[in-house]
Amino acid sequence: MGDFVPMSSVSCLTVGRYRLLEPLGEGQTGIVYRAEDPLLAREVALKVVELPSESEAGAALEEARAVAALSHPALVPVFDFGRDGTRAWIAFELVP
């Protein structure tokens, strides 16, 4: 993945219905942002994954489904999954 998006740029960016507020971390497959869900009026952790291929899109959906199927006190729930032509996102509960 690339570098974080500068904070001055993040506040005006949206991914799906989510407004990015600040980057929280970066891993091998994507960047996690603190984001606002204006529809449900809550903050979420939004993992954004770039999709270089259709197989990557399938992998992102499989990850979302796998985590959404689990329920454990040590796991955060999945709220939403979405994708457009170039990226996918998974919205999770934001844990302070």
Side-chain angles (χ1 to χ4, degrees):
M1 295 301 311
D3 294 330
F4 285 138
V5 175
M7 275 304 297
S8 59
S9 300
V10 167
S11 63
C12 64
L13 294 179
T14 59
V15 174
R17 72 177 192 244
Y18 301 95
R19 186 170 66 89
L20 303 182
L21 301 174
E22 68 176 315
L24 297 175
E26 182 175 2
Q28 185 176 3
T29 61
I31 300 175
V32 178
Y33 296 92
R34 185 172 64 89
E36 176 186 26
D37 179 348
L39 182 64
L40 299 177
R42 65 179 171 189
E43 288 189 357
V44 299
L46 193 71
K47 180 179 181 179
V48 180
V49 180
E50 295 300 319
L51 300 174
S53 69
E54 196 59 34
S55 66
E56 293 289 330
L61 178 56
E62 286 179 28
E63 176 187 352
R65 285 181 174 161
V67 176
L70 301 174
S71 178
H72 188 276
L75 298 175
V76 294
V78 171
F79 292 151
D80 190 23
F81 172 83
R83 69 179 269 213
D84 59 22
T86 61
R87 62 190 170 195
W89 56 90
I90 305 171
F92 295 92
E93 176 182 353
L94 180 64
V95 179

